[in-house]
Amino acid sequence: MKKNQWFLMMLSAVLLVLAACGDDSGDEQESSGESGDAAGGEDWIENVTLLTGGEAGVYFPLGVAMADIIDSSLDNVSATGVSSGASVSNAEQLNNGEAQLALVQNDIAFYGAEGSNMFSEVLDNYSGVFTIYPETVQLVTLADSGIESVADLEGKRVAIGDMGSGTEANANQIIEAHGMTVDDIDAQYLDFADASTNLQDGNVDAAFVTAGTPTGAIQELSASADVRIVSFDEDAMDSLMEEYTYYTKQDIPADAYDNFDSTASTVAVQAMLIASNDIPEDQMYEMTKAIFDNLDQMANAHVRGEELSLDTAEEGMSIDLHPGVQRYYDEQ
Ligand code: GLU
């Protein structure tokens, strides 16, 4: 009987809600009250999609954590972190209105805003939120592959990231800085997970991975095989940094992975969050605040999440900030 009473109560509650919705639908305009624009500004976007990267990267766990924070902190916003082809395609999709937030590399965000490099037009519908952590360009190979320099990649099967990823862009630029072109290698467009499996199975010889360390895909590989991360030539890094100013030098410490016993000299860019300019200012203010109010959840999702802080949020910021983000920073 108790069950029946509960069922009837729930049924009447549902009917009440339906009746209330029915009233609203009689309005001339779609109700904006539900979108929760408390400040009386523009309508908030209720369904927020946050683009990340492949599931074996660092964007994915951190992006899912950020979406979860927004989702649980703001009553009238439902946010979801989704896997994607990473930086270049994220910037394009955000610009086209297919998503509202995205993790991207700071170099790629800049090229998009400028319409240079891999972008044939200016992407002017996104702006910056914060930078988070360095993304290291890791050229990974098995320890016994015989590949010890970028020059050794000639004629080899090399995974250069997903098509449209920041990794692909970095691989091209780094190969060119070493006096070769992508035509000198047998380039394979693979995400990190597929690159790692194919390295292990002997189907590719090396893989470029631009991501925070430790990167899940490399961790998985190094748990069962001896890996080497190939150092870049000093001169090549200098000319690379001269031409593309968002690269910085970065050493990978020997304890970064299991079965990895040498350090590597390489370069890094910064991971950052970008936001669609379609997001109203007050909504972006609240979403930014929610993330900074829950930094522990970022740290729990991946060790690189520990690096998000108000003190460094604008370091390496390559594009203008979203007005809601700017207001939040100004108030701190
Ligand atoms: N930076 C990478 C890219 O845009 C993705 C990194 C990640 O998934 O953690 O290609």
Side-chain angles (χ1 to χ4, degrees):
M1 289 310 272
K2 262 189 173 167
K3 237 183 181 174
N4 281 345
Q5 279 170 352
W6 179 85
F7 177 72
L8 282 172
M9 258 174 60
M10 290 308 287
L11 187 67
S12 34
V14 167
L15 287 175
L16 271 171
V17 170
L18 284 179
C21 290
D23 282 344
D24 271 5
S25 64
D27 291 346
E28 278 298 314
Q29 286 182 335
E30 217 32 70
S31 164
S32 65
E34 287 171 4
S35 55
D37 53 340
E42 284 174 80
D43 286 354
W44 281 27
I45 297 172
E46 287 176 49
N47 292 311
V48 169
T49 298
L50 190 157
L51 301 172
T52 65
E55 289 177 18
V58 181
Y59 286 0
F60 185 73
L62 286 179
V64 168
M66 279 187 261
D68 286 350
I69 292 170
I70 293 168
D71 195 77
S72 56
S73 308
L74 303 179
D75 287 345
N76 33 28
V77 177
S78 152
T80 319
V82 299
S83 64
S84 75
S87 292
V88 178
S89 60
N90 286 0
E92 277 164 350
Q93 278 186 272
L94 205 70
N95 199 63
N96 295 340
E98 290 167 52
Q100 290 68 43
L101 295 171
L103 281 161
V104 296
Q105 298 175 192
N106 65 342
D107 53 339
I108 304 297
F110 175 79
Y111 301 140
E114 222 193 25
S116 66
N117 236 285
M118 66 290 292
F119 297 101
S120 51
E121 52 167 12
V122 171
L123 309 186
D124 57 4
N125 198 34
Y126 64 73
S127 41
V129 184
F130 43 66
T131 58
I132 317 180
Y133 58 91
E135 292 195 82
T136 315
V137 185
Q138 304 162 83
L139 174 55
V140 194
T141 184
L142 296 184
D144 59 6
S145 68
I147 297 172
E148 301 200 351
S149 65
V150 173
D152 292 338
L153 295 180
E154 192 163 354
K156 295 283 192 321
R157 299 158 302 174
V158 185
I160 59 167
D162 228 341
M163 203 169 277
S165 62
T167 303
E168 180 200 346
N170 299 142
N172 272 288
Q173 292 166 353
I174 285 158
I175 289 170
E176 278 170 24
H178 284 81
M180 296 155 65
T181 77
V182 81
D183 295 335
D184 294 321
I185 61 166
D186 177 3
Q188 317 268 327
Y189 296 92
L190 299 171
D191 69 14
F192 300 159
D194 287 343
S196 158
T197 332
N198 280 292
L199 261 174
Q200 184 151 29
D201 296 347
N203 297 325
V204 302
D205 303 301
F208 280 92
V209 171
T210 303
T213 57
T215 315
I218 304 177
Q219 265 177 318
E220 203 162 296
L221 180 69
S222 72
S224 56
D226 287 343
V227 297
R228 174 186 305 119
I229 298 187
V230 176
S231 287
F232 300 144
D233 295 353
E234 284 297 322
D235 289 352
M237 286 195 282
D238 289 340
S239 70
L240 181 77
M241 292 192 306
E242 211 174 284
E243 187 165 0
Y244 305 103
T245 49
Y246 289 100
Y247 285 110
T248 53
K249 279 195 182 165
Q250 172 104 23
D251 285 338
I252 303 178
D255 62 0
Y257 297 101
D258 295 338
N259 298 320
F260 170 65
D261 56 12
S262 61
T263 59
S265 309
T266 170
V267 289
V269 290
Q270 285 276 323
M272 65 183 285
L273 185 70
I274 59 172
S276 161
N277 293 340
D278 298 339
I279 302 175
E281 181 187 321
D282 49 348
Q283 179 173 6
M284 197 58 229
Y285 174 96
E286 294 299 339
M287 296 201 297
T288 309
K289 179 176 185 309
I291 295 171
F292 280 106
D293 284 347
N294 291 281
L295 289 179
D296 54 324
Q297 286 188 49
M298 292 287 287
N300 286 341
H302 190 280
V303 66
R304 290 285 153 231
E306 287 174 6
E307 284 170 61
L308 175 58
S309 95
L310 271 172
D311 294 341
T312 57
E314 291 183 69
E315 271 176 23
M317 176 58 67
S318 53
I319 55 171
D320 291 341
L321 292 178
H322 189 286
V325 175
Q326 185 70 63
R327 178 155 67 85
Y328 178 74
Y329 291 156
D330 289 347
E331 285 178 11
Q332 304 312 304

